[in-house]
Amino acid sequence: MATAFHNLSSYDTSTVPNAMGMKFGIVLADWNERFTYAMAEAAVETLVENGADEKDIVIKHVPGSFELIYGAAWMVDNADVDAVIAIGCVIRGDTPHFDYICQGTTQGLAELNLRAEVPVIYGLLTCNTPLQAEERCGGRLGNKGTECAVTAIKMVAYNGA
Ligand code: RBF
């Protein structure tokens, strides 16, 4: 996994429930892997820091962000997990593909959340430039993977409450 980026996101650990015994699925898009792998790495680190066991974290790769929908649905239906984190990064190009992929993926993950019995966490970066992605994957603006992990833990605790 990428090591060039470091997790600079800060959060108040006292507000995060203990993740011991929780099981997580990460669906990881390979497109723009320089960014998505850095997010996944930070997510795993954060889950473990908060008490999850690394063997309770399953990672499955999909080719691109659009496949996050199928991948997350597969996890929900087939993996023994308490929450799914979908991680992808779409960067604007010259054609309107950016809008379609972002819209379709967002819509698909939202619909999945409505029917899934476990929460699906939205970790899709939608950036105008590679710099914007870099800033959110361990750069100036922290690491969105960390934030996804904290959100996943909170949602699992919510489910159990
Ligand atoms: N997937 C991403 O995760 N990020 C991208 O920035 C991205 N750009 C794409 C640009 C074009 C023109 C196409 C056709 C696909 C792109 N994809 C991207 C891949 C997409 O999410 C999906 O894997 C493919 O469209 C196959 O369903």
Side-chain angles (χ1 to χ4, degrees):
M1 277 204 187
T3 52
F5 297 96
H6 298 285
N7 166 18
L8 302 179
S9 282
S10 60
Y11 57 92
D12 180 357
T13 47
S14 69
T15 65
V16 183
N18 192 315
M20 193 189 300
M22 294 180 181
K23 296 177 188 166
F24 299 94
I26 295 177
V27 188
L28 179 54
D30 287 336
W31 257 81
N32 294 317
E33 66 175 43
R34 175 177 165 224
F35 303 120
T36 60
Y37 287 17
M39 285 174 72
E41 189 173 20
V44 170
E45 264 176 32
T46 305
L47 295 173
V48 171
E49 265 167 22
N50 285 282
D53 193 321
E54 203 153 353
K55 73 171 169 33
D56 288 331
I57 303 169
V58 52
I59 300 179
K60 275 185 89 74
H61 290 251
V62 292
S65 291
F66 194 70
E67 286 71 47
L68 289 173
I69 307 165
Y70 182 91
W74 186 93
M75 281 262 189
V76 163
D77 293 336
N78 300 293
D80 177 24
V81 293
D82 300 308
V84 175
I85 301 172
I87 293 178
C89 174
V90 193
I91 298 178
R92 193 182 286 281
D94 295 333
T95 64
H97 76 272
F98 175 88
D99 302 303
Y100 290 105
I101 295 173
C102 293
Q103 172 67 30
T105 306
T106 301
Q107 182 76 28
L109 293 176
E111 282 175 22
L112 180 59
N113 257 303
L114 286 175
R115 74 126 175 117
E117 286 182 17
V118 298
V120 178
I121 310 304
Y122 181 85
L124 182 69
L125 284 184
T126 58
C127 299
N128 290 319
T129 64
L131 177 61
Q132 287 183 342
E134 197 170 314
E135 289 174 337
R136 288 157 180 80
C137 294
R140 190 172 65 87
L141 300 174
N143 193 314
K144 295 297 166 192
T146 300
E147 294 171 33
C148 285
V150 170
T151 303
I153 294 168
K154 287 181 176 175
M155 289 307 291
V156 175
Y158 183 93
N159 240 358

